[in-house]
Amino acid sequence: MGRMHSGGKGISQSALPFRRSVPNWSKTTPEEVKEHIYKLSKKGLSPAQIGVILRDSHGVAQVRFLTGNKILRILRQKGMGPEIPDDCYCLIKKAVNIHKHLERNRKDKDAKFRLVLVESRIHRLARYYRTHQVLPPNWKYSSGTASTLVA
């Protein structure tokens, strides 16, 4: 399967370890990890950023192997999950940054074209999330209110 807005057909990915058990050297308990997740979420970090901090600072290789659930599911059980999915949030953030760039550089035709591509990806993703009840059925992306969604 190729990429949506480029010619690439790359399939490179990171490989997870074959064993799905917790390493012997890991001394953290699932309750400690969940408390770290709640604390970092209250600071406003996304689940991906929480995973990076747990991996680098606390020595948790995979939260899913230790707790039995992914970070996002742990946050949703507590009612602390993000209202917009992470991939959609990142695309909206990218569109807002391109808008800011275009306010300063009006003649940048390539940025205008890339903005159209990014916004079409946002609309496609929003349609998917509306049909799968992740976003409410009346949720709509508009470039005017996008900066309030990101802030």
Side-chain angles (χ1 to χ4, degrees):
M1 181 94 179
R3 301 285 172 257
M4 191 186 304
H5 292 129
S6 66
K9 294 182 178 68
I11 58 166
S12 64
Q13 306 169 5
S14 62
L16 287 177
F18 181 72
R19 284 177 45 210
R20 290 191 173 97
S21 59
V22 180
N24 297 333
W25 48 263
S26 180
K27 302 291 183 229
T28 54
T29 63
E31 290 75 27
E32 290 175 5
V33 172
K34 286 182 181 179
E35 289 303 316
H36 281 300
I37 290 172
Y38 299 146
K39 187 169 61 174
L40 292 170
S41 177
K42 285 179 185 172
K43 288 184 180 178
L45 297 176
S46 71
Q49 293 169 324
I50 292 172
V52 169
I53 289 173
L54 287 175
R55 182 195 67 200
D56 295 343
S57 302
H58 301 287
V60 178
Q62 285 286 319
V63 173
R64 186 169 45 109
F65 298 162
L66 190 63
T67 62
N69 270 329
K70 298 179 180 182
I71 295 173
L72 187 61
R73 288 186 184 157
I74 292 170
L75 290 174
R76 283 197 181 138
Q77 285 172 354
K78 193 81 168 179
M80 300 171 71
E83 62 274 356
I84 298 175
D86 200 37
D87 51 356
C88 198
Y89 176 82
C90 288
L91 283 174
I92 292 172
K93 193 172 170 183
K94 184 182 279 193
V96 167
N97 286 337
I98 295 173
H99 266 294
K100 286 180 186 174
H101 171 79
L102 282 173
E103 286 174 5
R104 287 175 281 135
N105 308 292
R106 293 246 180 239
K107 289 192 169 188
D108 193 350
K109 302 272 196 236
D110 188 55
K112 286 181 188 175
F113 176 69
R114 298 296 163 196
L115 178 64
V116 170
L117 296 183
V118 169
E119 286 183 341
S120 70
R121 264 181 275 171
I122 293 169
H123 291 301
R124 180 181 285 199
L125 212 77
R127 186 173 63 230
Y128 170 80
Y129 282 132
R130 280 195 305 268
T131 57
H132 288 77
Q133 282 94 32
V134 178
L135 289 173
N138 60 353
W139 191 89
K140 202 164 186 77
Y141 169 80
S142 67
S143 57
T145 59
S147 59
T148 58
L149 290 172
V150 174

